Amino acid sequence: MSNAYSEAAARPPVKTRPVKTRYDGVMLFLHWSVALLILVAFVIAQGRGLVPRGPERTALMDLHRSLGVLVLALVALRMVWRAVSPPPPMSADTAPLLLFAAKAGHLALYALMIAVPLAGVTMTQAHGHPVAFFGLFTLPTLVGENHAFGDTLEKLHELFGTAIIVLAGLHAAAALVHQYVLKDGTLSRMLPWGNR
């Protein structure tokens, strides 16, 4: 018994990683950048009718498409970073139903952040127009010209675009409820100025 005790005492303590309580700086940057880009792209899409048809509206929609492609690239990077640096766990006393809702909501947001720009790019190409990224280069053609298919993709793009704004609004509302009603600090984990 004494030998076992002395052997255990002689072993160095096992180092464990501290449990993350906040998202890291890379994830904070990606989260808020994507959120802002989606909001700006949505506002441009909704306000395009206020700009007369012509070079100005074309430039505005080129900006809208470039922002969408940038969102797609940042979401891909975010998914890779999430695998490398997993997010902090939710509070241990979070109800199973809330955990399920959070996971389902995040999964739906990721799916839409991919589907919206992809539908936009393929819709544009199906209507016979190239998609340039901020005038730097033109994206490879994913679909050939097919106006009927383009019209279907346009409806999907608009539907998914509305869905992502609604879901993002619910996501923000849920974060506020967690922070100020449940008081579990969920929102603080994602704010750049939150407690460290």
Side-chain angles (χ1 to χ4, degrees), residues 32-44 64 67 71 75 109 112-113 161 164-165 168:
W32 293 110
S33 297
V34 168
L36 181 62
L37 290 169
I38 288 172
L39 183 61
V40 171
F42 182 78
V43 169
I44 289 173
H64 171 82
L67 293 176
V71 164
V75 168
L109 273 171
L112 286 169
M113 287 187 292
I164 201 170
I165 293 299

Side-chain angles (χ1 to χ4, degrees), residues 25 122 185:
T122 51

Side-chain angles (χ1 to χ4, degrees), residues 2-192:
S2 59
N3 284 345
Y5 176 76
S6 57
E7 284 175 18
R11 274 187 246 136
V14 177
K15 289 184 180 179
T16 57
R17 280 187 171 179
V19 177
K20 286 170 68 173
T21 57
R22 288 178 46 75
Y23 287 86
D24 58 47
V26 174
M27 189 58 89
L28 289 175
F29 171 77
L30 291 171
H31 177 274
W32 293 110
S33 297
V34 168
L36 181 62
L37 290 169
I38 288 172
L39 183 61
V40 171
F42 182 78
V43 169
I44 289 173
Q46 298 307 304
R48 70 186 183 277
L50 301 175
V51 180
R53 287 184 182 276
E56 291 83 6
R57 190 192 283 196
T58 299
L60 194 63
M61 292 313 295
D62 284 344
L63 174 61
H64 171 82
R65 293 182 194 102
S66 293
L67 293 176
V69 173
L70 184 55
V71 164
L72 191 58
L74 291 178
V75 168
L77 180 59
R78 182 174 171 172
M79 291 170 74
V80 170
W81 188 255
R82 189 180 174 96
V84 171
S85 178
M90 291 187 72
S91 174
D93 57 356
T94 304
L97 185 59
L98 285 178
L99 280 173
F100 173 78
K103 287 180 180 177
H106 278 100
L107 188 61
L109 273 171
Y110 272 98
L112 286 169
M113 287 187 292
I114 294 167
V116 172
L118 273 182
V121 167
T122 51
M123 166 196 78
T124 303
Q125 293 177 342
H127 281 145
H129 306 292
V131 176
F133 182 68
F134 294 110
L136 299 173
F137 59 87
T138 300
L139 268 62
T141 302
L142 301 175
V143 296
E145 187 169 346
N146 182 330
H147 289 278
F149 185 46
D151 291 343
T152 300
L153 288 169
E154 185 172 359
K155 289 172 186 171
L156 285 175
H157 181 64
E158 290 176 2
L159 178 65
F160 292 159
T162 301
I164 201 170
I165 293 299
V166 170
L167 196 55
L170 291 172
H171 176 71
L176 292 172
V177 168
H178 274 281
Q179 185 73 17
Y180 298 110
V181 178
L182 302 177
K183 299 185 186 300
D184 60 8
T186 294
L187 183 59
S188 297
R189 303 180 326 154
M190 189 51 89
L191 291 175

